[in-house]
Amino acid sequence: MRVSMPHMGNLYIPFKALFQRLDIDFVIPPISNQRTLSLGTKYSPEGLCIPFKLALGNLIEAAEMGADALIMPVGNGICRLGYYAQTQEQILHEIGYANVRVVRIGISEHKLLGLLKTIKYLANNASWPRIISTFRFGLTKLNALDRIERIVQKVRAVELVKGTANQLFAQAVDAIDKADDYNTLKKAQADYLDRLDRIPKDPQAQPLLVGIIGEFYVLLEPFSNLDVESELGKLGVEVRRTTFTSSWTKFSLFLNSLGINEKDRIHRAALPYLKRDIGGEGWESVGEKVLHAKEYDGIIHLAPFTCMPEVVAQNIMPSTRESIPILTLICDEQTTKTGMLTRLEAFVDLLQRKRRAGTNKQPRVTVRGGYT
Ligand code: SF4
């Protein structure tokens, strides 16, 4: 059995560490690129969203590499995600990969135990202590990656030489990927946090603060959003993304099992405008806007084309009492970088004018240096 999975940001790194330690034959498809998207688009039903298409492209590339057990999350929520794995398996069979199985992970229903049981099955029934210890190591990698990325989001906005933080981030990802024990991992994390702190920064900079909200996959997979965070960094904007895989894992896999729902606060904020879950992250998008209207200069809302939950959220957000400029970017195979950059530049220009005119919600204090 050869195992693989679609990409979603750097998530492949903790899974690679976990599977290698369990001696599972694991292959990683190429980082999502134009070919991935073309493959996914070619074989997907036209009206499906970009998470489906890119994931399918990744699965086809993995099948080309000989993988025959392809991991896909499934959910019992309201959106189409629940049907993805089944549809993708059927498409793979139809295009000639008859021996491929899509292994479904029902995280929303079975939480941590469901994930661990799937890993145990893929690892030929390895012992629980071994699975738990390798899972822990993978989680430590995930936490290190996200901790560094949070700092990169701040540094991009104020670095003197644009692109320096991104270069260091790429090196950090590589170092964390290669780290084979806790000590090396800890040293890599500390080293790159220190190097990010030492990047020369503009001492006068008062960067705009923009929240990035929207659908889970397009928030986390840079290829699907045309690397919007880096582009905002080049324009001198600090971003706060609502979702990181490490925090999602902490709440959804651990705390949720103990009855703690991290989304309660967000849902409460959305209640005057939307009373129930509408699938995906639609409810959360409305709540995030309401919650952060006074904190951010603006919000960028990432929505896959044809994503019903985010379309509903997009239509509710302009009418909330809590007002803040929002730019919705539709993510699709038709979206071009030039089109996105034009919109980003216009949006950032608007936010700068608002700030200069003093009509922003509230001045904010920007911490410079000492980011770690
Ligand atoms: S939330 Fe939207 S984009 Fe995400 S899987 Fe569901 S329909 Fe597709």
Side-chain angles (χ1 to χ4, degrees):
M1 177 159 61
R2 178 170 282 186
V3 178
S4 190
M5 59 185 283
H7 282 287
M8 195 171 65
N10 293 316
L11 193 61
Y12 71 95
I13 292 176
F15 272 100
K16 181 178 159 192
L18 189 151
F19 288 144
Q20 278 180 347
R21 288 184 158 217
L22 288 169
D23 300 318
I24 296 174
D25 184 6
F26 180 62
V27 288
I28 303 161
I31 300 292
S32 297
N33 57 52
Q34 197 50 48
R35 180 173 183 264
T36 317
L37 184 56
S38 302
L39 279 172
T41 307
K42 183 174 173 186
Y43 294 111
S44 297
E46 189 192 350
L48 280 183
C49 43
I50 197 163
F52 180 95
K53 293 175 181 171
L54 274 175
L56 178 65
N58 287 148
L59 297 182
I60 295 172
E61 289 171 321
E64 287 171 349
M65 296 165 77
D68 53 7
L70 306 173
I71 299 171
M72 265 299 290
V74 293
N76 59 357
I78 298 165
C79 95
R80 301 176 284 194
L81 178 68
Y83 301 106
Y84 275 15
Q86 200 176 345
T87 315
Q88 284 161 338
E89 188 174 71
Q90 197 177 331
I91 293 171
L92 284 159
H93 290 171
E94 282 170 9
I95 64 174
Y97 298 103
N99 63 334
V100 160
R101 266 174 323 124
V102 175
V103 181
R104 296 140 171 91
I105 303 189
I107 288 177
S108 54
E109 307 95 296
H110 307 299
K111 313 284 180 216
L112 180 61
L113 190 61
L115 177 58
L116 294 178
K117 276 184 176 167
T118 309
I119 294 168
K120 190 172 171 64
Y121 158 73
L122 295 170
N124 244 336
N125 214 15
S127 69
W128 280 117
R130 197 164 158 226
I131 287 174
I132 288 163
S133 110
T134 51
F135 186 76
R136 215 182 116 232
F137 187 61
L139 265 189
T140 313
K141 284 201 175 197
L142 183 64
N143 290 334
L145 286 164
D146 284 356
R147 180 154 184 224
I148 291 173
E149 190 174 4
R150 281 195 165 93
I151 305 302
V152 169
Q153 290 174 333
K154 291 173 189 278
V155 177
R156 277 186 194 126
V158 292
E159 63 191 357
L160 286 179
V161 180
K162 289 295 174 196
T164 315
N166 269 1
Q167 273 173 17
L168 274 184
F169 185 43
Q171 291 170 21
V173 169
D174 191 45
I176 289 170
D177 185 20
K178 289 187 175 134
D180 209 20
D181 56 70
Y182 282 101
N183 260 348
T184 318
L185 184 53
K186 205 169 150 195
K187 273 192 204 134
Q189 175 178 302
D191 179 33
Y192 280 97
L193 287 175
D194 181 49
R195 287 165 73 174
L196 283 165
D197 200 28
R198 284 191 281 111
I199 287 180
K201 302 173 189 82
D202 177 0
Q204 306 300 325
Q206 292 278 342
L208 293 168
L209 182 62
V210 167
I212 310 280
I213 67 171
E215 195 266 347
F216 192 77
Y217 177 91
V218 290
L219 284 178
L220 292 169
E221 173 51 51
F223 181 76
S224 71
N225 62 40
L226 301 171
D227 213 359
V228 65
E229 293 185 13
S230 291
E231 296 304 335
L232 284 165
K234 285 184 204 161
L235 296 172
V237 175
E238 180 182 323
V239 299
R240 294 274 166 83
R241 192 204 306 149
T242 50
T243 303
F244 278 83
T245 327
S246 55
S247 39
W248 181 88
T249 307
K250 180 171 137 198
F251 284 107
S252 299
L253 294 189
F254 296 105
L255 297 183
N256 213 318
S257 315
L258 302 173
I260 300 168
N261 185 355
E262 103 280 16
K263 290 183 178 169
D264 276 353
R265 199 172 63 103
I266 305 167
H267 293 160
R268 269 201 306 277
L271 271 183
Y273 312 103
L274 184 59
K275 301 234 175 291
R276 68 174 190 85
D277 184 14
I278 51 168
E281 281 67 47
W283 204 10
E284 289 79 25
S285 289
V286 175
E288 295 281 0
K289 186 225 164 171
V290 171
L291 269 183
H292 298 297
K294 290 206 170 117
E295 187 186 346
Y296 300 154
D297 292 284
I299 286 178
I300 292 200
H301 171 223
L302 298 178
F305 184 55
T306 76
C307 171
M308 182 275 287
E310 296 306 332
V311 170
V312 173
Q314 181 189 2
N315 283 283
I316 290 174
M317 285 194 277
S319 51
T320 66
R321 271 188 306 280
E322 299 77 5
S323 139
I324 181 171
I326 297 191
L327 173 67
T328 295
L329 291 175
I330 302 293
C331 304
D332 183 45
E333 69 268 20
Q334 308 288 345
T335 312
T336 64
K337 188 105 175 184
T338 320
M340 184 192 77
L341 289 182
T342 310
R343 286 166 177 79
L344 286 187
E345 283 163 12
F347 187 63
V348 170
D349 190 44
L350 171 110
L351 299 184
Q352 278 163 346
R353 281 163 190 255
K354 277 178 78 75
R355 174 151 323 163
R356 275 200 298 273
T359 53
N360 280 23
K361 293 291 128 198
Q362 60 177 41
R364 39 178 299 275
V365 180
T366 305
V367 182
R368 290 192 209 88
Y371 284 107
T372 53

